[in-house]
Amino acid sequence: MGVDVAVLVSAAAGRGRARTVSATVLEALRRGGLTPTVLTATTRAEAEQAAAAAVAAGTAAVVAVGGDGTAHAALQAVAGTGTPLAVVPAGTGNDLALALHVPPEPVAAATAAATDLREGAVRTLDAGRTGDRWWATVLCCGFDSAVTDRANRLRWPRGPRRYDVAILAELARLRPREVTLTLDGAARTLPVTLVAVGNTAWYGGGMRVCPDADPADGRLDVTVVGPVTRRELVRTRPRLTDGTHVAHPAVTVHRAARVELAGAGLTTYADGEPVAALPVVAEAVPGALRVVGSARPA
């Protein structure tokens, strides 16, 4: 008899790609010696409840088939429990899969997860926590959260290009916002274009906003972009792909275990999902997440 695992499939992820690949993913899990049970859910709340019930019932792992939103829902159930998470990338951004060095092809990712579970190869990593929400990649506010909000509302184009369209729309509204940033108890108030708090490096469909973030060091990397013009923001954005934006004079990088953000009229997103309006506290929780199917960076 195989090892029982719970499989969370997002029907909407990747504009239906997760649903399309789910049959081959399930077959790959079975070939790998697992017994998958698909969790029934049509909303994020239902997905989180179904995953939590599976963890409480003793599932060996939760497999998230979809994008970062699907992984975020599964994370709420597994973080802090010891039950591992497997990410099968089939969404729009897949930033967590990228950070974890998960194979980009869904069947290969499912096969790698099955192999790790069978061999007991589990990695222990940090997770971010804000209020009662867990997150694994990046928590952001400012221009980038406004872009994420708009991108999530767009129905065209598909894939990462949605972020390009959203950026152009939000540039017309660009203005610095005053934020009080408190890092491990040290506070300062400053004008910002955006603040990104990273447990891992990537967000927004492959933008390396916190390039040196390490999800196993017990701390969060904080990238702060101060006031910039529209033209400068457009010129700098391509450098997010390889992380060289941190050399720009308007950008500062910090590291802290506890990050507090306060400001008027700003909302935070994490893993591409809405979390809370400011003020918020983001904390790195060492060893809160166990993952399978990922590779250690070379």
Side-chain angles (χ1 to χ4, degrees), residues 3 8 18 29 88 107-108 111 130 134-135 143 159 221-222 227-228 265 295:
V3 177
L8 187 61
L29 294 174
V88 174
V107 169
T111 300
T130 299
W134 293 95
W135 46 276
F143 178 77
D221 278 31
V222 184
V228 293

Side-chain angles (χ1 to χ4, degrees), residues 223-237:
T223 299
V224 179
V225 179
V228 293
T229 64
R230 293 182 179 89
R231 176 176 293 184
E232 194 64 17
L233 188 59
V234 170
R235 289 177 56 190
T236 303
R237 183 184 176 273

Side-chain angles (χ1 to χ4, degrees), residues 30 71 78 82 88 110 134 138 140 144 160 185 190-192 201 224 233 267 271 286:
R30 294 187 188 100
V78 302
V88 174
W134 293 95
V138 175
C140 62
D144 47 358
L190 65 167
V192 305
V224 179
L233 188 59
T267 298
D271 300 335

Side-chain angles (χ1 to χ4, degrees), residues 76-103:
Q76 308 313 308
V78 302
T81 69
T83 301
L85 170 69
V87 178
V88 174
T92 300
N94 304 313
D95 291 306
L96 180 57
L98 181 62
L100 297 179
H101 304 274
V102 169

Side-chain angles (χ1 to χ4, degrees), residues 99-146:
L100 297 179
H101 304 274
V102 169
E105 199 280 317
V107 169
T111 300
T115 299
D116 279 1
L117 277 172
R118 191 172 62 247
E119 297 178 357
V122 181
R123 290 179 63 193
T124 300
L125 302 173
D126 307 335
R129 189 170 176 87
T130 299
D132 62 354
R133 303 299 299 177
W134 293 95
W135 46 276
T137 58
V138 175
L139 178 139
C140 62
C141 75
F143 178 77
D144 47 358
S145 58

